[in-house]
């Protein structure tokens, strides 16, 4: 059998295509693998660093200062956006670091006084800018006004906080805690995870 010159030329491109196809598939697979690795690396970074530091974090109540709203050992979710955007309101429950963020010790208390306000406690009543604050969060009457026996005017980035268990709470009435600056706030308590019998949104 004889072959013409034209038939030999036609067969060469077919051989080249067969050799190149596996190489293209390998390149495509490697590219897809790199994209997958990059995606999961970003996802892990978000879950490990971004979420707990800037969005939401789990924390545990230690002590009885917030009874009966929060109990010792309650597992909570704390969101970290409200205070950064100046969206905290009176009566919000916050986590803060009384000795600064460099210290791991944190407190969980309720906001009573807002930035710029003047707070004073007289005969067990909380006065905000000279007017009695209407609230029903306190477990017991206030018997110790602490430093709030005299008017306390808050700075532009300061909050006055108290525990709901007024007799057992070390809070802004105490000179060792004082006013809470925005830079020392860790977040706002929004949800209780456990115990399951008290599972739900925090008021």
């Amino acid at each position: 059998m004889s072959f013409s010159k034209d038939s030999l030329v036609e067969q060469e491109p077919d051989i080249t295509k067969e050799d190149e196809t596996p190489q293209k598939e390998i390149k495509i697979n490697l590219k897809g693998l790199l994209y997958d690795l990059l995606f999961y690396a970003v996802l892990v970074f978000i879950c490990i660093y971004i979420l707990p530091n800037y969005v939401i974090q789990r924390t545990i109540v230690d002590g009885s200062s917030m009874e009966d709203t929060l109990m010792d050992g309650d597992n909570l979710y704390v969101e970290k956006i409200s205070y950064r955007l100046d969206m905290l309101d009176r009566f919000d429950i916050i986590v803060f670091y009384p000795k600064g963020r460099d210290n791991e010790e944190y407190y969980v208390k309720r906001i009573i006084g807002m930035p710029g306000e003047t707070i004073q406690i007289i005969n067990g009543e909380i006065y905000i800018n000279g007017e009695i604050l209407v609230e029903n969060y306190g477990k017991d009457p206030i018997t110790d006004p602490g430093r709030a026996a005299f008017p306390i005017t808050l700075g532009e980035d300061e909050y006055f906080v108290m525990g709901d268990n007024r007799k057992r709470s070390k809070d802004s009435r105490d000179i060792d805690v004082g006013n809470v600056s925005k830079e020392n706030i860790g977040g706002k308590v929004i949800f209780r995870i456990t115990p399951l019998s008290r599972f739900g949104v925090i008021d």
Side-chain angles (χ1 to χ4, degrees), residues 24-55:
K24 288 182 178 179
E25 288 180 353
I26 290 172
K27 288 181 180 179
I28 292 173
N29 288 338
L30 285 175
K31 190 175 182 181
L33 180 61
L34 289 175
Y35 278 130
D36 287 344
L37 289 174
L38 180 62
F39 171 78
Y40 286 113
V42 171
L43 186 62
V44 169
F45 176 75
I46 291 173
C47 293
I48 293 178
Y49 183 77
I50 299 296
L51 287 179
N53 284 286
Y54 297 100
V55 182

Side-chain angles (χ1 to χ4, degrees), residues 106-126:
Y106 64 87
Y107 288 178
V108 180
K109 308 292 180 186
R110 190 182 297 277
I111 292 176
I112 298 298
M114 300 291 289
E117 295 180 337
T118 298
I119 293 87
Q120 187 173 9
I121 300 175
I122 304 173
N123 296 325
E125 298 283 0
I126 302 172

Side-chain angles (χ1 to χ4, degrees), residues 4-193:
S4 67
K5 183 178 180 181
D6 291 339
S7 64
L8 288 174
V9 172
E10 288 177 358
Q11 290 177 3
E12 289 178 358
D14 292 336
I15 294 173
T16 303
K17 287 181 180 180
E18 288 177 0
D19 291 339
E20 289 181 350
T21 300
Q23 294 178 2
K24 288 182 178 179
E25 288 180 353
I26 290 172
K27 288 181 180 179
I28 292 173
N29 288 338
L30 285 175
K31 190 175 182 181
L33 180 61
L34 289 175
Y35 278 130
D36 287 344
L37 289 174
L38 180 62
F39 171 78
Y40 286 113
V42 171
L43 186 62
V44 169
F45 176 75
I46 291 173
C47 293
I48 293 178
Y49 183 77
I50 299 296
L51 287 179
N53 284 286
Y54 297 100
V55 182
I56 196 166
Q57 184 177 9
R58 189 171 71 95
T59 192
I60 301 174
V61 177
D62 181 14
S64 59
S65 70
M66 281 299 294
E67 292 180 354
D68 289 326
T69 306
L70 302 175
M71 310 298 286
D72 183 40
D74 281 2
N75 278 264
L76 312 171
Y77 270 135
V78 175
E79 61 92 353
K80 296 171 168 286
I81 299 175
S82 294
Y83 81 92
R84 298 179 190 275
L85 301 178
D86 294 324
M87 295 174 61
L88 292 175
D89 293 321
R90 196 186 320 279
F91 304 133
D92 284 346
I93 299 175
I94 62 170
V95 170
F96 68 97
Y97 301 87
K99 298 178 181 178
R101 288 181 172 274
D102 293 336
N103 194 295
E104 294 183 356
E105 182 182 22
Y106 64 87
Y107 288 178
V108 180
K109 308 292 180 186
R110 190 182 297 277
I111 292 176
I112 298 298
M114 300 291 289
E117 295 180 337
T118 298
I119 293 87
Q120 187 173 9
I121 300 175
I122 304 173
N123 296 325
E125 298 283 0
I126 302 172
Y127 286 79
I128 305 290
N129 296 334
E131 297 185 3
I132 293 179
L133 175 67
V134 179
E135 56 95 31
N136 58 358
Y137 291 105
K139 178 180 179 181
D140 297 304
I142 301 172
T143 57
D144 181 14
R147 56 191 286 270
F150 302 96
I152 297 172
T153 299
L154 300 171
E156 293 182 357
D157 289 323
E158 291 183 335
Y159 297 83
F160 188 93
V161 300
M162 295 178 67
D164 288 356
N165 189 351
R166 303 287 164 77
K167 290 184 178 180
R168 300 288 300 274
S169 176
K170 185 176 182 180
D171 47 43
S172 289
R173 293 172 293 169
D174 193 302
I175 193 171
D176 289 335
V177 178
N179 306 336
V180 178
S181 62
K182 176 183 174 181
E183 66 181 5
N184 288 333
I185 295 176
K188 171 184 170 182
V189 176
I190 57 173
F191 204 85
R192 182 180 4 242
I193 312 167

